[in-house]
Amino acid sequence: MDLKYHRFLHIPERLWGLVDIAYNLWWSWHPEAKMLFKQLNRQAWDESIHNPVKMLRELPAETFDAALRNAKYLHHYDIVMARFKRMKSSRIGWFREHYPKLANYPIAYFSAEYGLQHSLPFYAGGLGFLAGDHVKECSDLGIPLVAVGFMYSDGYLHQHIRPEGWQDNIVEKLERDLAPISRVLNQDNSPIIIKIPFIDPTIYVTVWKVDVGTIPLYLLDTDIEINDQSVREISSRLYTGDKELRLRQEIVLGIGGTQLLNALGIKYSAMHLNEGHPAFAPLERIRERVEEGVNFNDASEIVRKTTIFTTHTPVPAGHDLFPFEMMDKYFHNYYNALGLDRGNLLQLGFHPLDPDAGFNMTAFAIRMSGYHNGVSKRHGEVAREMWQSLWHDIDIDKVPIDYITNGAHLPTWLNPKMEYLINTYLGPSCPHWMWEHDDPALWELIDEIPDEDLWRTHYLLKVKLINRIREHKRRKWMTDYADPMNVVAGGALLDPSALTIGFARRFSTYKRADLIFTDIERLKKIINNRWRPVQFIFAGKAHPNDDEGKRILQKVYNYAHAPEFGGRVAFIEDYGEQIAQYLVHGVDVWMNNPLPPLEASGTSGMKAGFNGIPHLSILDGWWPEAFNNRNGWAFGGEEVEGDRTIQDSNDLYEIIENKVVPLYYSSSREGIPLKWVKMMKECIKTVAPFFSARRMVKEYATRYYAPTLESVINEMKEDGVTTEVCNYGP
Ligand SMILES: *Cc1c(COP(=O)(O)O)cnc(C)c1O
């Protein structure tokens, strides 16, 4: 018997498949699998906060015995299990069909964060969800990926807002035993422990695993007894403000992660670095070759040809910079192991325009990789400008940084009710629409959906969102005697019939969450219109060390308090995956107004777009590629000298007053705003196929993964190596 069932002996063997599914996040993007848990006990499901492992552990045996007697449940169970097994053993998929010779050559994907599902708090924001969606999509497409990341044990950083609007952070430890992760074991069932080579002082790492469909995600954890206390804390939390701790984290991720893949016998052929944090991974790959006798230059040539680096932000604070002395402290033995002296290695992290600044992880990642890309067309331009100096004497348009625009995982972010509706009208002529959802032609059928049906579904989701918010606040009011102001600020007075604009993301300064509050009198008129009211829902966390972000949050929160807005500005605490789902399904408009050109892509607007929620956004990130005048609104495309707050906020007010409000409250038939629904349809048609993770991952696969793997295979042929077995590890 597999060890993992030992903890679930209260579940009859006939239902052990539930345990298998609980440990594979595949369930989270398959509503029929989610139903298996929900149907066991709806309340327990909610109380577990949608963590099936916790729920299965805690439910009494009687619940499962009752399920055994329920023929309907068993029938549903058998269908889901059959699908699950088919997925697990799948030897088909888009990648295999198109690149049958390459499907056995794994690609190692490294990221410091993964946003996958609520029960795994290994993310801070957009970068994490991008990585999570990438991995899910690789599973759907049959791409042979192996992912590496961190097990952050202090993962939940809950946001609590004080009455005066200041953000406090409450750490909730992840209970490893109740999370859907399992320990990676040696053959004798002892936990695997890896030593990070040549790094002083020594760091040991243990490893957990979560299955994401067919893709294994390995999670590094330094919290083991053999380590010193300070080492144990390396993997406690994501993105600390402590530079040295951060360097240690990046050593663990890059070097430890690469060692881990070796220890598991995973013979990957290419590496994909999601942002600069894991950039020591290719260095470790080089060191291994140097150890085999290859010289540094030849080794780095081989590694570079098979390394892909995706940069994700033009914001300076997003690029780690480590003082050289700090590098020395950890790497002094490593320099020798590479056959380099100190200067040669540190030079790889110079920024040519500021070589004394320190070791720049992005510059390093670019030098270590053969393929580099930004994450939208606009960001490609910005990144070429930012990093032009790495290539001397080269024209800016020749700088070899390309772009692949981000996408979001449609099955994760499309609401099941919306999916059901779409299926009713697309299904008959395109039974496999979900499978081919990056084909724009099939989305033309969206026009077949009767306006009233689309509107009704949307309205239902909006009511669901607002009910959820109000119910939460009601409970706080009842059980915690919450301050009435806090109850109002949290959304107790929200009204489903009012035009609802959503803004939810991290409260980084450049995102300008407070832009709409630039002219309070004007905003009051918009919000408090007796016949055409507008309400705003805000959510998001500021980084724990970002006082400026916290001040912006406080400002927004205080407006949510203010009687002058009549409860029509709400701030929802503790933004995370779950609240994000409610919001991108249920608001009427998704708003985004970062300071251009600092938004590399943005993905939350895509998630909203899948659900027919038009985007009201400044022309930055992905929006210039998507906006067509019929699927939302745009402003701020031009360059502005100096402070652009006034101009941008004026544009925003003007659009809301003259375009959004009139369209939403336009003459309607039986309460259905037909012109609005037309825009909703246009929005789904233009966003779903092009801004899905499917389109994105196919681009990575065809433009980067496949050529890389092909060159590896060709070289192996030249060397007389003919067979390679795909090994995903345990
Ligand atoms: C998608 C998502 C983000 C990304 O937001 P953007 O500002 O659009 O990049 C952040 N947080 C959560 C929880 C998300 O789901």
Side-chain angles (χ1 to χ4, degrees), residues 65-191:
D65 294 341
L68 268 191
R69 292 189 302 270
N70 182 340
K72 233 171 112 187
Y73 184 85
L74 288 180
H75 180 63
H76 182 61
Y77 170 88
D78 290 337
I79 291 174
V80 174
M81 281 314 294
R83 279 186 200 159
F84 180 69
K85 285 189 182 136
R86 206 159 51 232
M87 176 278 296
K88 286 295 283 178
S89 63
S90 177
R91 287 286 163 262
I92 47 163
W94 173 85
F95 194 75
R96 257 166 220 282
E97 270 165 40
H98 286 77
Y99 305 99
K101 292 203 187 76
L102 307 182
N104 285 335
Y105 296 86
I107 296 140
Y109 183 84
F110 283 76
S111 177
E113 53 172 306
Y114 290 90
L116 290 158
Q117 196 264 335
H118 194 75
S119 59
L120 292 176
F122 305 150
Y123 63 88
L127 180 71
F129 281 95
L130 196 273
D133 283 7
H134 190 102
V135 171
K136 289 173 184 172
E137 191 61 55
C138 283
S139 171
D140 291 347
L141 289 174
I143 292 180
L145 200 85
V146 177
V148 179
F150 268 117
M151 212 290 306
Y152 297 109
S153 52
D154 290 355
Y156 289 103
L157 206 58
H158 291 295
Q159 177 189 53
H160 174 257
I161 311 286
R162 292 186 209 161
E164 73 274 19
W166 194 252
Q167 168 183 306
D168 285 326
N169 303 299
I170 299 162
V171 174
E172 185 197 336
K173 285 246 174 218
L174 180 74
E175 289 184 71
R176 292 170 172 81
D177 286 338
L178 293 180
I181 55 177
S182 36
R183 258 184 204 288
V184 179
L185 303 173
N186 291 309
Q187 293 199 325
D188 64 357
N189 285 332
S190 60

Side-chain angles (χ1 to χ4, degrees), residues 123-127 129-130 133 408 413 504-506 510-511 575-581 584 590 592 599 601-607 615 622:
Y123 63 88
L127 180 71
F129 281 95
L130 196 273
D133 283 7
W413 298 103
R505 49 181 53 84
R506 285 195 73 83
Y510 81 90
K511 301 262 196 188
Y575 185 52
E577 187 261 350
Q578 233 183 2
I579 295 175
Q581 290 280 3
V584 300
W590 197 256
N592 193 20
E599 183 86 300
S601 166
T603 48
S604 55
M606 302 169 182
K607 301 167 190 169
H615 202 210
W622 71 289

Side-chain angles (χ1 to χ4, degrees), residues 385-655:
E385 202 176 310
M386 266 184 91
W387 299 104
Q388 183 183 16
S389 60
L390 286 179
W391 291 270
H392 316 281
D393 303 326
I394 198 173
D395 283 349
I396 187 135
D397 48 327
K398 298 257 164 53
V399 171
I401 300 180
D402 210 332
Y403 75 91
I404 290 180
T405 304
N406 280 345
H409 187 241
L410 187 90
T412 294
W413 298 103
L414 178 65
N415 178 274
K417 289 199 168 56
M418 203 51 95
E419 180 180 334
Y420 181 83
L421 176 68
I422 292 172
N423 191 50
T424 310
Y425 293 91
L426 267 61
S429 37
C430 313
H432 303 297
W433 67 273
M434 199 36 148
W435 192 242
E436 297 156 15
H437 69 248
D438 56 334
D439 176 2
L442 66 86
W443 290 96
E444 291 300 318
L445 290 168
I446 286 289
D447 287 334
E448 310 269 310
I449 301 177
D451 292 335
E452 49 273 33
D453 289 4
L454 184 57
W455 180 251
R456 213 178 297 126
T457 302
H458 168 69
Y459 198 77
L460 183 77
L461 295 174
K462 184 171 166 186
V463 168
K464 231 178 123 186
L465 161 71
I466 291 177
N467 280 351
R468 198 261 182 204
I469 292 171
R470 293 202 297 211
E471 188 53 32
H472 234 71
K473 280 294 136 185
R474 189 193 319 282
R475 249 182 281 160
K476 283 258 180 224
W477 172 238
M478 286 168 65
T479 55
D480 303 353
Y481 299 101
D483 175 60
M485 299 286 256
N486 177 286
V487 175
V488 171
L493 292 181
L494 290 172
D495 168 7
S497 66
L499 166 60
T500 304
I501 300 182
F503 182 106
R505 49 181 53 84
R506 285 195 73 83
F507 271 55
S508 309
T509 322
Y510 81 90
K511 301 262 196 188
R512 299 196 295 182
D514 56 345
L515 186 73
I516 192 80
F517 298 102
T518 306
D519 182 343
I520 296 297
E521 290 310 312
R522 193 160 173 191
L523 181 62
K524 258 200 259 176
K525 286 206 190 85
I526 293 173
I527 287 182
N528 295 325
N529 186 308
R530 176 80 173 78
W531 310 110
R532 296 171 154 199
V534 179
Q535 60 194 4
F536 288 86
I537 305 181
F538 287 87
K541 295 176 186 163
H543 188 284
N545 304 316
D546 176 12
D547 281 351
E548 189 52 35
K550 286 187 198 170
R551 263 191 289 279
I552 294 174
L553 193 153
Q554 181 171 36
K555 187 169 159 192
V556 172
Y557 190 81
N558 286 342
Y559 286 125
H561 258 185
E564 54 191 331
F565 289 120
R568 289 211 166 107
V569 174
F571 185 92
I572 314 305
E573 271 169 86
D574 209 22
Y575 185 52
E577 187 261 350
Q578 233 183 2
I579 295 175
Q581 290 280 3
Y582 276 101
L583 286 169
V584 300
H585 299 155
V587 298
D588 294 311
V589 175
W590 197 256
M591 183 170 80
N592 193 20
N593 47 42
L595 185 66
L598 297 181
E599 183 86 300
S601 166
T603 48
S604 55
M606 302 169 182
K607 301 167 190 169
F610 297 164
N611 294 285
I613 295 171
H615 202 210
L616 162 55
S617 171
I618 205 158
L619 282 164
D620 198 18
W622 71 289
W623 194 227
E625 287 165 70
F627 175 61
N628 70 359
N629 244 315
R630 298 186 305 276
N631 58 359
W633 306 270
F635 64 98
E638 61 289 333
E639 298 254 336
V640 179
E641 284 290 321
D643 189 348
R644 55 186 298 160
T645 310
I646 300 290
Q647 178 170 337
D648 286 342
S649 59
N650 276 338
D651 287 351
L652 196 50
Y653 295 131
E654 221 146 85
I655 291 175

